[in-house]
Amino acid sequence: MAFRHPSTLSPLALVVLALLDEAPMYPYRMQQLIRERGNDQLVNIRNRASLYQTITRLDRDGLIEVQGVAKTEHRPERTTYQLTELGRTTLHSWLREMLGTRAAEFPEFPVALSFVYLLEPEVALEELTRRRAALEAAQLRLAGMLAEHSGAVPRLFLLESEYLNAIAEAELAWLRGIAADLGTGRLGWNTAAIRAQYADTGESGS
């Protein structure tokens, strides 16, 4: 019979379980490690509440448990969590599922592309150029980090950065090609004509 995990699978939940597999720790220490290791490029912890909500859910479902509560003068209580055996089993199950399954994800960029005809081509080119510049900067940081740590850090611990760098390079190549086609007119459209066509037929866009 297939193992069924009680909590909903999420990247942040996986990170919490993986950190607690290393050692018991309190939420603020988890947040520190996520940032120090660059995992904040993989999971969103800008809103601290999301981390605490995830911890509460994992605790409720028996995947983690309170190891102890420390109280020091002039500081709030600090709750330390540890992984349970169910949590460790779930962690391994989630890792296998996330590695082996191509999950249905719904990023916002392809959605915007499907309705890009609502903008004039020159406006679309301006925004795609802005995206390309931001992505180029991010890819340079990734490539620099990989070069800096190559040889000093085992490749095993750089795989996620290698993947993100490869994805960024592929998107940059695509963006440059689209920008070139928009710039030369090989790709273009008439927004008013498209709107009129859909108004006549009663159809929506792509």
Side-chain angles (χ1 to χ4, degrees):
M1 182 177 178
F3 173 74
R4 293 181 179 275
H5 40 72
S7 279
T8 302
L9 170 59
S10 75
L12 184 53
L14 180 76
V15 169
V16 170
L17 293 183
L19 288 174
L20 293 180
D21 189 50
E22 296 178 13
M25 62 185 73
Y26 50 93
Y28 182 67
R29 180 56 179 157
M30 295 180 203
Q31 193 173 37
Q32 282 182 313
L33 285 175
I34 288 171
R35 289 200 173 109
E36 288 172 10
R37 297 177 181 181
N39 291 138
D40 56 340
Q41 303 299 309
L42 307 173
V43 294
N44 185 2
I45 59 165
R46 288 190 295 272
N47 180 4
R48 188 183 298 180
S50 61
L51 175 61
Y52 284 91
Q53 289 166 0
T54 297
I55 290 170
T56 298
R57 176 165 53 83
L58 294 173
D59 183 29
R60 179 200 66 202
D61 291 337
L63 305 185
I64 65 176
E65 62 187 6
V66 174
Q67 183 194 59
V69 179
K71 175 70 174 172
T72 56
E73 190 176 2
H74 306 306
R75 289 181 177 272
E77 286 186 349
R78 194 169 68 186
T79 303
T80 299
Y81 293 89
Q82 63 185 8
L83 196 63
T84 65
E85 283 306 310
L86 176 60
R88 185 166 287 106
T89 302
T90 299
L91 170 60
H92 291 176
S93 173
W94 280 357
L95 276 171
R96 294 184 65 170
E97 186 172 341
M98 294 177 82
L99 285 171
T101 304
R102 191 176 186 277
E105 298 173 345
F106 304 96
E108 62 184 31
F109 183 52
V111 177
L113 286 174
S114 73
F115 293 101
V116 70
Y117 60 81
L118 295 176
L119 300 175
E120 296 297 334
E122 59 271 20
V123 176
L125 176 58
E126 178 184 344
E127 295 306 324
L128 290 174
T129 300
R130 188 162 63 92
R131 179 186 183 90
R132 185 185 70 190
L135 187 56
E136 283 173 339
Q139 192 272 325
L140 280 175
R141 287 194 297 272
L142 274 169
M145 185 274 292
L146 286 168
E148 178 185 353
H149 294 296
S150 178
V153 177
R155 188 183 179 197
L156 172 64
F157 300 109
L158 297 173
L159 292 179
E160 74 278 12
S161 295
E162 283 187 13
Y163 172 78
L164 291 175
N165 189 55
I167 294 298
E169 286 180 339
E171 183 178 333
L172 279 172
W174 184 85
L175 282 170
R176 288 169 183 145
I178 292 297
D181 288 346
L182 282 168
T184 60
R186 286 193 298 269
L187 173 64
W189 57 88
N190 185 312
T191 298
I194 293 173
R195 287 180 179 275
Q197 177 186 350
Y198 285 131
D200 290 341
T201 62
E203 295 178 0
S204 60
S206 61

